[in-house]
């Protein structure tokens, strides 16, 4: 997943992070702070407790923000085993819009009534101050915009998180393109939007697995 997103240009040099945990585990895997996404391999991943203690691996610099974000969510949400935190230019731009993501493309309809929003409050350095607010804002959702910052995409699996990242990035790019044209918008009806969301998320039983295999074939060829 790190290498795929790196090849897609969705990393932010060394400033964003992905994690996963075995189902029900009290630890997670994350990259060592300081690597670019393209450099991450199975061998250099860190094993980290939900409280942010390094259990296995060597880190260049302690990544408190990463451990607060990922550890807090895993503690609160037993249904989540994968968390991707990104700040791409399109997602940051949409996160800064008061309206947030608009249902103006099929990509965006994957997220109709499925998004949470978390107001910017500087770096996530404290579990009590930042972690609890983040968990409260996330609620029962799996995707959340961090206002003026980026987003997180959570999943039961790595391929589910990847699925959300792909569609959200395209939805944000499309919204920026549409709004730049300064024309009246056509938005699907309030009846069609929830139906489309339901159809899109139930199109396959194991959400994102077909795309995941295709991503892996692609990055292996590259």
């Amino acid at each position: 997943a790190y290498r795929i997103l790196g090849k897609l240009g969705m990393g932010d040099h060394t400033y964003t992070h992905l994690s996963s945990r075995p189902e029900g585990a009290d630890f997670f895997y994350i990259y060592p702070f300081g690597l670019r996404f393209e450099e991450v391999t199975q061998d250099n991943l860190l094993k980290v407790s939900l409280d942010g203690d390094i259990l296995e691996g060597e880190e260049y610099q302690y990544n408190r923000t990463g451990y607060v974000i990922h550890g807090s969510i895993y503690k609160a949400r037993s249904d989540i085993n994968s968390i991707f935190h990104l700040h791409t230019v399109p997602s940051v731009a949409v996160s800064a819009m008061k309206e947030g993501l608009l249902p103006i493309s099929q990509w965006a309809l994957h997220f109709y009534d499925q998004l949470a929003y978390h107001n910017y409050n500087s770096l996530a350095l404290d579990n009590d101050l930042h972690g609890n607010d983040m968990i409260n804002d996330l609620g029962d959702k799996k995707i959340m915009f961090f206002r003026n910052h980026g987003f997180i995409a959570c999943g039961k699996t790595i391929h589910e998180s990847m699925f959300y990242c792909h569609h959200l990035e395209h939805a944000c790019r499309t919204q920026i393109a549409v709004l730049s044209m300064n024309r009246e918008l056509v938005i699907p009806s309030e009846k069609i939007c929830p139906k489309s969301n339901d159809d899109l998320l139930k199109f396959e039983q194991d959400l994102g697995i077909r795309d995941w295999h295709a991503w892996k074939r692609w990055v292996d060829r590259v």
Side-chain angles (χ1 to χ4, degrees), residues 149-162:
H149 180 173
F151 70 94
I152 55 171
C154 307
K156 184 175 177 62
T157 63
I158 292 172
H159 48 268
E160 183 182 358
S161 296
M162 185 71 196

Side-chain angles (χ1 to χ4, degrees), residues 6 11-12 31 71 73 84 120 125 161 165 170 172 180 199-200:
D12 181 16
Y31 84 146
I73 295 173
F84 290 11
Y120 186 75
L125 297 173
S161 296
C165 285
H170 278 64
C172 291
S180 72
D199 289 343
L200 289 164

